């Protein structure tokens, strides 16, 4: 689980930099200011998750189920949160209605919050 956590952290970080560069250059030409701001929120929170996963990958021993869930909740939550924002940001440009993804974003955010909460309890128990 340690390796999975560290790999996801590194991949999330790399993809955040790539998407951030596209957002700062290429996507400015095709997205509205509002959609670009949403896109950048997804990128920012994905980078926060990258740092989180890299740090907990070195801190946690992953000996308990709760330690593993700290990582899984952040990994899954980030995919749901950021990916739904990315798709919603492009729905006008693509000419498709992706509003059904709207409820996915807060669900991903909730999983990320739960991951942070579990990390707090982990620290309090240690």
């Amino acid at each position: 689980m340690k390796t999975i956590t560290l790999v996801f952290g590194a991949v999330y970080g790399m993809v955040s930099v790539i998407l951030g560069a596209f957002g700062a250059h290429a996507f400015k030409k095709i997205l509205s200011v509002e959609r670009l701001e949403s896109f950048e929120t997804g990128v920012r929170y994905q980078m926060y998750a990258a740092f989180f996963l890299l740090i907990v990958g070195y801190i946690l021993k992953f000996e308990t189920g709760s330690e593993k869930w700290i990582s899984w909740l952040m990994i899954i939550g980030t995919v749901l949160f950021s990916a739904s924002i990315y798709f919603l940001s492009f729905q006008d440009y693509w000419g498709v209605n992706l509003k059904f993804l709207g409820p996915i974003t807060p669900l991903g955010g909730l999983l990320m919050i739960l991951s942070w909460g579990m990390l707090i309890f982990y620290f309090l128990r240690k």
Side-chain angles (χ1 to χ4, degrees):
M1 188 67 213
K2 181 182 195 82
T3 301
I4 291 169
T5 300
L6 293 171
V7 168
F8 268 97
V11 169
Y12 282 178
M14 179 183 71
V15 172
S16 291
V17 172
I18 293 168
L19 292 176
F22 275 104
H25 302 289
F27 297 159
K28 271 188 175 181
K29 299 171 186 168
I30 61 173
L31 297 178
S32 69
V33 172
E34 181 182 305
R35 296 289 189 197
L36 188 60
E37 286 175 0
S38 292
F39 182 85
E40 290 171 349
T41 297
V43 171
R44 186 172 50 253
Y45 277 80
Q46 184 175 328
M47 184 58 82
Y48 296 155
F51 289 138
F52 178 97
L53 291 168
L54 291 171
I55 292 167
V56 300
Y58 282 103
I59 292 173
L60 302 180
K61 293 182 174 63
F62 299 101
E63 296 170 340
T64 66
S66 63
E67 289 176 279
K68 294 172 187 170
W69 274 107
I70 290 170
S71 286
W72 281 121
L73 288 170
M74 185 59 70
I75 290 167
I76 296 165
T78 302
V79 168
L80 296 176
F81 182 84
S82 291
S84 65
I85 289 176
Y86 298 150
F87 282 107
L88 287 166
S89 296
F90 278 91
Q91 70 180 344
D92 296 337
Y93 178 74
W94 292 333
V96 295
N97 183 350
L98 300 175
K99 295 200 187 308
F100 68 92
L101 292 175
I104 302 297
T105 307
L107 176 62
L110 176 62
L111 296 180
M112 295 168 81
I113 291 166
L114 290 172
S115 179
W116 279 104
M118 289 182 72
L119 184 62
I120 291 167
F121 284 118
Y122 170 82
F123 288 144
L124 289 173
R125 282 188 283 141
K126 297 293 174 186

